[in-house]
Amino acid sequence: MTNKTSPLDTPFRIYIWLCAIVITILAMFQTIVAYNPVPVWDMQEGYLGFLEKLQDGHWRAWIEPHNEHRILLQRIIFWFDNYAFGGISIFAITANFICISCNIALFYLLAKRRNASSIPLALIICWCFLLVQGENITWAFQAQFHLAYLVPLAGLYLIAVERKDLNWLRCLGAVGAGLLSIGTMGNGILVLPLYVAYAIVMRFPARLTGTFLGGLALEFIFLLWNHSPGAAPLNLGFLTNLDTIILFLLRLLGSPFHYLLGSSDRFYQVEIMGLVYLLLLSMKIVQLLRQKPSAAVDWALATFALYVVLSYAGASVSRSNIGMGLAVTTHYTTPSLLGWLALSILYFESFQRRLSAAWRVTTLSVFLLVLIAYQYSALGYFSGPLFDWKVATLGLALGVDDQIAQRTLTAPDFYRQIKQYSEPAYQSNFGYFQSIPFSGIREQLGQASRENKQPNVQDCSIAPFQMMTTTDSKFLRFSSFIELDTEHATAYPDFVRILDEKNRQLGFALVQSGWRDRREITPANGKYRFKVEGYVASSIGRHIDIVAEAGGKQVCNVSTEIPSQPMQLKIPFAYGSSGDLPIAQVLDVKDITGGDGLQTNLCSYGLQVLGTFGPDGDATKAALRFQLRSGQSFLYRSGPTAGNQRLSIVDGSQFLMPQALDWLEVTLDPSLYGNKDSIDVSVLDEGSGWGEWSAIAARVPVDKCRPPHKK
């Protein structure tokens, strides 16, 4: 190999650094626009539940398993995020970038230790900040995915030295990294066994190899003492699905290329890249076994790449039964990215030797263009889910048992447990609940507003309220819009107080008016239009005052009226538990042959599902007409995109239907019947976009029930 400098080297290195800067900035930008301070999904138990246990003096909360993982280091990050940074996930998200940067530094140092003219630092930066790892960059719960590989890599870096430089201090440091790896994720228990294998292959002195064996014994003792109560014994039944597990493993190893080569439902290119990974690793291990003396850095990189394979093998056994598509989700791509980087360092010298300088520059230039093109295409921000999460959190802070909203914060089967984490967090003022406006907001309900209505600083108006009933009879959820004059707007409201005629605060709402939201809003007729959504006590009168605030200061106020509550909602525990639960008679569904978006079959309950999700997906617009007797209920369900589904009464009244990701039991208010025993009702689905479908369920004889139409 020659070290002569090509005339293309200097401009090319500038080009690589420009690419690295662009990719890193785009990753930071995506993190900013996707910033989510709300604890969702695993953070309910993993963040809020952990802090609650600590507050109760339960010190073992630090090392208790979370699912099959022990996330000690992630919990340390959560502790700092809560007590030093206000519980708004800023530090936890920043930790993702810190971990990525440390991985970059360690790989670069290993590459330089191996070969002075090895892979450029800028190229490593480009690869490690790719958004193919999506939420592992932008979500506050994901530092563990980086730590599970950063800590073992740090240990390998300590002992990947020439024999003369090896000493007790380095080995003890590596043993410490191996023990600390247990507190990263479940695969951390593999690190010390791999270190022992590394020491044997590298022919460490017996006393140093014994150090690693001692560390392995400590790990074994700890795992016996801290055994997970929910851990299942080894079951060899997975061998019956060995082909599925292997395919899942290949997809995990090739997952970054699912995005870089263009997402496809066929996955052939991903599986081929997984095979290439295994082939390159196997070839390198065979080469190293034949090589004398052994190359310490090469073996360290190969050991790391093998660690990725073994980690993915465990994930394949435990996750492949959930669905093959899970293998290419973004939070599983980080290990593969790092494994491919380790292989790239091992083969970079061969790449340089086999190609001329011009071909190297051309190949890498095209590769970098692909990375930048993907990085730009991966940018995106969807304000709807984040706003829904914030409104759901507002409901929890107010003590509203809105199970419909709570379902948006976690997995569908877990929502009933949310309050056991959110309520202690609110009462003890930790996590996101210590931030404004959630902290202490419940105590303001029913209290007189501290500020009287002031002259409007700027003109604003509010649209008529759309009322959405909740599963809590004491509260209503409402939605509206505030309009501001674009020319004279001096401040954008972010919070709304609902006052009754006695100036008592009986409701609160959030305004979707952050700078991220405004960039999606096109002014119309000289007005900015911002969504307002929140909760109001069901006992409030019809006449109310809306006081809009920005940063705690009043910016405008308007008066309006609360429409009457049209319906009551609850989540049924058993679809067939009551004879009068569903509707009595379907009047007219014309050519509707669809069902709900999940193609649910409730025929075993004697319920016929009728919906607008069918041959045309969720693009169908239709009216589902039926008849209700006073006191009867019906089941309703909608897609994830709501707002164009309405309930229409025969007298012309229309009401907005709530988002219902699972079946809801809907009972109309008796006042809607007047003097009639029954009324004709229609569920109007006027949406044709993604996720805009709706469905009802009617009781029919089991022998006449037909399964839903398959798309």
Side-chain angles (χ1 to χ4, degrees):
M1 177 183 158
T2 178
N3 288 325
K4 292 181 180 179
T5 303
S6 164
L8 296 175
D9 278 351
T10 299
F12 180 61
R13 288 182 181 277
I14 294 174
Y15 168 70
I16 299 179
W17 273 108
L18 288 175
C19 291
I21 292 170
V22 169
I23 287 175
T24 304
I25 289 176
L26 290 177
M28 291 179 175
F29 176 77
Q30 177 63 23
T31 302
I32 291 171
V33 299
Y35 166 61
N36 171 29
V38 181
V40 295
W41 291 78
D42 287 337
M43 289 187 71
Q44 291 287 333
E45 178 185 5
Y47 191 152
L48 300 182
F50 160 67
L51 292 174
E52 177 197 355
K53 290 179 180 179
L54 278 190
Q55 183 153 308
D56 291 342
H58 187 48
W59 68 267
R60 288 189 64 171
W62 289 103
I63 54 176
E64 283 182 346
H66 176 84
N67 297 328
E68 69 270 32
H69 308 293
R70 292 169 179 82
I71 55 173
L72 168 65
L73 299 187
Q74 181 72 68
R75 285 167 175 158
I76 292 173
I77 291 172
F78 286 156
W79 189 90
F80 275 103
D81 183 79
N82 178 71
Y83 290 104
F85 295 89
I88 56 175
S89 298
I90 290 288
F91 178 72
I93 294 173
T94 303
N96 295 338
F97 281 83
I98 294 173
C99 290
I100 292 173
S101 300
C102 290
N103 271 326
I104 290 170
L106 285 173
F107 272 114
Y108 180 68
L109 291 173
L110 282 168
K112 296 299 287 185
R113 184 182 290 177
R114 178 179 183 272
N115 189 323
S117 59
S118 186
I119 189 167
L121 173 61
L123 195 57
I124 298 176
I125 293 173
C126 289
W127 186 249
C128 288
F129 276 113
L130 281 178
L131 288 172
V132 296
Q133 32 187 345
E135 61 190 43
N136 287 353
I137 291 179
T138 61
W139 190 27
F141 197 72
Q142 301 304 89
Q144 56 192 292
F145 276 87
H146 304 290
L147 290 164
Y149 298 89
L150 170 61
V151 178
L153 184 63
L156 287 170
Y157 175 77
L158 288 174
I159 55 178
V161 294
E162 294 183 13
R163 182 72 171 267
K164 62 182 178 63
D165 296 323
L166 195 63
N167 54 45
W168 279 99
L169 192 59
R170 287 181 176 275
C171 291
L172 287 174
V175 169
L179 292 172
L180 202 56
S181 295
I182 303 171
T184 57
M185 291 185 72
N187 56 332
I189 63 175
L190 300 172
V191 175
L192 276 169
L194 284 173
Y195 284 177
V196 170
Y198 180 87
I200 293 172
V201 169
M202 295 301 299
R203 299 182 179 180
F204 281 14
R207 65 184 187 281
L208 297 182
T209 303
T211 304
F212 290 100
L213 289 171
L216 188 58
L218 288 175
E219 175 182 318
F220 182 73
I221 294 171
F222 172 78
L223 294 179
L224 285 178
W225 173 72
N226 192 243
H227 179 68
S228 173
L234 179 62
N235 186 348
L236 297 181
F238 73 86
L239 294 175
T240 59
N241 298 318
L242 194 57
D243 55 339
T244 300
I245 291 172
I246 292 174
L247 200 61
F248 196 88
L249 172 62
L250 293 178
R251 291 187 182 183
L252 286 170
L253 291 171
S255 55
F257 299 95
H258 172 68
Y259 301 95
L260 296 178
L261 300 179
S263 301
S264 169
D265 293 336
R266 297 182 180 272
F267 299 108
Y268 293 138
Q269 76 276 22
V270 181
E271 293 155 7
I272 290 172
M273 294 307 296
L275 280 172
V276 170
Y277 184 104
L278 292 176
L279 180 62
L280 292 175
L281 177 58
S282 301
M283 290 170 54
K284 182 56 67 173
I285 290 176
V286 170
Q287 177 188 342
L288 291 174
L289 287 172
R290 294 175 176 175
Q291 182 176 316
K292 304 295 180 183
S294 298
V297 175
D298 285 16
W299 267 114
L301 292 169
T303 301
F304 182 86
L306 178 61
Y307 172 59
V308 171
V309 175
L310 295 176
S311 300
Y312 272 158
S316 299
V317 172
S318 62
R319 298 291 190 268
S320 58
N321 62 318
I322 300 176
M324 294 299 290
L326 189 65
V328 294
T329 52
T330 57
H331 66 271
Y332 281 129
T333 55
T334 295
S336 182
L337 272 177
L338 298 176
W340 278 101
L341 178 55
L343 291 176
S344 299
I345 294 173
L346 287 171
Y347 282 94
F348 194 77
E349 181 180 344
S350 177
F351 170 76
Q352 286 184 308
R353 185 171 59 247
R354 293 175 185 274
L355 295 180
S356 66
W359 273 108
R360 289 201 306 269
V361 169
T362 302
T363 303
L364 290 176
S365 296
V366 172
F367 178 67
L368 288 169
L369 285 176
V370 171
L371 298 189
I372 287 183
Y374 169 76
Q375 194 80 341
Y376 180 77
S377 69
L379 297 177
Y381 170 67
F382 304 97
S383 59
L386 176 57
F387 187 64
D388 289 340
W389 293 337
K390 287 184 176 180
V391 175
T393 304
L394 174 66
L396 290 170
L398 289 170
V400 183
D401 187 22
D402 186 359
Q403 297 173 13
I404 305 170
Q406 291 166 18
R407 284 176 177 238
T408 67
L409 295 173
T410 187
D413 296 334
F414 189 72
Y415 75 96
R416 296 185 190 277
Q417 302 178 43
I418 280 184
K419 292 189 71 175
Q420 77 180 63
Y421 304 119
S422 63
E423 187 61 21
Y426 176 80
Q427 296 294 345
S428 301
N429 203 39
F430 58 70
Y432 189 44
F433 290 96
Q434 64 186 286
S435 61
I436 297 173
F438 306 108
S439 180
I441 195 171
R442 190 182 307 176
E443 288 68 33
Q444 299 178 43
L445 278 171
Q447 300 298 315
S449 176
R450 290 177 298 177
E451 297 182 6
N452 294 322
K453 292 189 298 181
Q454 301 173 1
N456 285 336
V457 178
Q458 56 185 322
D459 292 330
C460 69
S461 58
I462 193 159
F465 276 27
Q466 294 285 352
M467 305 305 297
M468 294 168 283
T469 52
T470 73
T471 52
D472 188 334
S473 60
K474 300 188 294 296
F475 290 91
L476 299 172
R477 182 167 174 166
F478 67 89
S479 177
S480 184
F481 290 91
I482 279 184
E483 289 187 340
L484 301 176
D485 191 318
T486 56
E487 291 186 8
H488 303 100
T490 57
Y492 299 98
D494 52 32
F495 185 66
V496 163
R497 299 180 188 272
I498 312 297
L499 310 180
D500 67 3
E501 295 174 330
K502 297 180 180 180
N503 203 40
R504 293 177 302 179
Q505 302 173 95
L506 293 184
F508 304 95
L510 303 178
V511 183
Q512 196 172 6
S513 64
W515 69 268
R516 296 176 299 183
D517 309 317
R518 287 198 291 276
R519 74 183 184 87
E520 293 187 343
I521 297 173
T522 303
N525 301 320
K527 300 281 188 180
Y528 277 124
R529 187 176 173 89
F530 297 118
K531 186 176 182 179
V532 177
E533 196 160 327
Y535 294 91
V536 64
S538 55
S539 60
I540 196 169
R542 290 182 60 84
H543 300 284
I544 60 171
D545 289 318
I546 306 293
V547 178
E549 299 178 355
K553 295 182 179 180
Q554 188 177 144
V555 294
C556 67
N557 57 76
V558 292
S559 298
T560 187
E561 292 189 349
I562 292 276
S564 59
Q565 180 181 359
M567 64 190 83
Q568 296 176 349
L569 307 176
K570 69 178 181 179
I571 296 175
F573 285 86
Y575 302 121
S577 62
S578 171
D580 63 354
L581 173 62
I583 59 179
Q585 180 181 0
V586 176
L587 296 180
D588 182 15
V589 292
K590 298 187 183 301
D591 299 324
I592 296 175
T593 59
D596 65 328
L598 300 181
Q599 300 298 292
T600 307
N601 186 349
L602 297 181
C603 287
S604 60
Y605 296 99
L607 299 177
Q608 175 68 63
V609 176
L610 297 168
T612 61
F613 190 95
D616 296 325
D618 36 23
T620 303
K621 296 182 180 181
L624 305 172
R625 295 185 57 217
F626 51 95
Q627 189 178 76
L628 277 179
R629 295 190 185 95
S630 180
Q632 282 189 324
S633 304
F634 66 95
L635 295 185
Y636 173 78
R637 191 177 197 177
S638 76
T641 305
N644 287 312
Q645 291 74 37
R646 298 177 183 276
L647 182 74
S648 177
I649 310 298
V650 68
D651 65 0
S653 302
Q654 289 193 5
F655 307 98
L656 184 69
M657 294 297 288
Q659 181 191 69
L661 298 181
D662 202 347
W663 293 103
L664 290 176
E665 180 185 344
V666 182
T667 305
L668 298 188
D669 188 87
S671 63
L672 296 177
Y673 289 86
N675 297 322
K676 300 178 182 179
D677 293 331
S678 63
I679 56 175
D680 293 346
V681 177
S682 297
V683 172
L684 307 177
D685 190 336
E686 300 170 340
S688 59
W690 178 86
E692 291 190 311
W693 53 264
S694 54
I696 59 172
R699 183 174 291 284
V700 296
V702 175
D703 59 343
K704 293 185 178 181
C705 190
R706 55 178 171 77
H709 179 92
K710 299 294 183 181
K711 182 182 175 184

